[in-house]
Amino acid sequence: MVNVYILDMINVFIPHRWNNNDYSEISELLDRTKFIVRDYSVPASSPFDKIDKRYNVDPQIQRQIQYASVVVCSNRPANNNGMSIDEIKYAISIGKPVVAVQITDNISRQILMLDIPVISKRKNSLESWIEYNIN
């Protein structure tokens, strides 16, 4: 008899700003987990040509979030305003599980107000949270 192991695949969206290293830190953490990660975040190498300012979250980004199984953000206070927090709020509004990884010592006021769990920046913490929150 041959044992077949099915690897867990997850679709992830990481709300971020390019002026800090949060995206790369979260990506590297995800890469160390046991999951095969399909990243639906907007990459620096291929940003959307045009963002529609009529929406809090551009429909192109909404689509990326809809594909995600989970949204993983940073706890950085810089997320208090702007596109990142709007993306997080959109994810919550459509029922996506959202977790914040503790990148800095200070936690975003918005992350706290939205009651988003903040986990330590450890592989085991993220794996456990994903396993518990993704069906």
Side-chain angles (χ1 to χ4, degrees):
M1 175 179 250
V2 175
N3 288 332
V4 177
Y5 295 95
I6 299 173
L7 299 173
D8 291 321
M9 180 177 284
I10 57 168
N11 298 336
V12 175
F13 182 84
I14 304 170
H16 62 280
R17 294 179 177 187
W18 291 116
N19 61 354
N20 60 45
N21 290 329
D22 292 1
Y23 175 82
S24 58
E25 288 188 49
I26 292 170
S27 291
E28 289 167 9
L29 180 62
L30 283 162
D31 288 345
R32 292 194 311 265
T33 67
K34 67 181 181 179
F35 301 105
I36 297 172
V37 175
R38 185 177 300 146
D39 187 350
Y40 281 94
S41 308
V42 180
S45 61
S46 178
F48 293 130
D49 292 331
K50 191 172 187 178
I51 298 294
D52 193 333
K53 302 286 187 193
R54 294 177 297 171
Y55 300 91
N56 282 346
V57 178
D58 182 89
Q60 298 171 94
I61 296 173
Q62 287 180 14
R63 197 168 26 263
Q64 298 301 103
I65 295 169
Q66 290 167 0
Y67 293 141
S69 313
V70 63
V71 174
V72 181
C73 64
S74 126
N75 70 315
R76 186 176 298 278
N79 286 342
N80 279 338
N81 299 306
M83 193 177 296
S84 292
I85 201 65
D86 288 340
E87 292 167 358
I88 292 165
K89 287 177 180 177
Y90 175 76
I92 291 169
S93 77
I94 63 170
K96 297 294 176 178
V98 178
V99 66
V101 174
Q102 187 161 357
I103 303 286
T104 66
D105 290 336
N106 297 320
I107 298 174
S108 160
R109 179 177 33 85
Q110 290 280 0
I111 296 293
L112 292 172
M113 287 174 44
L114 292 169
D115 203 26
I116 294 171
V118 178
I119 61 170
S120 64
K121 190 177 133 187
R122 293 180 40 235
K123 173 184 84 85
N124 294 347
S125 297
L126 186 55
E127 280 180 355
S128 296
W129 188 90
I130 290 171
E131 285 177 341
Y132 185 78
N133 288 280
I134 305 279
N135 296 336

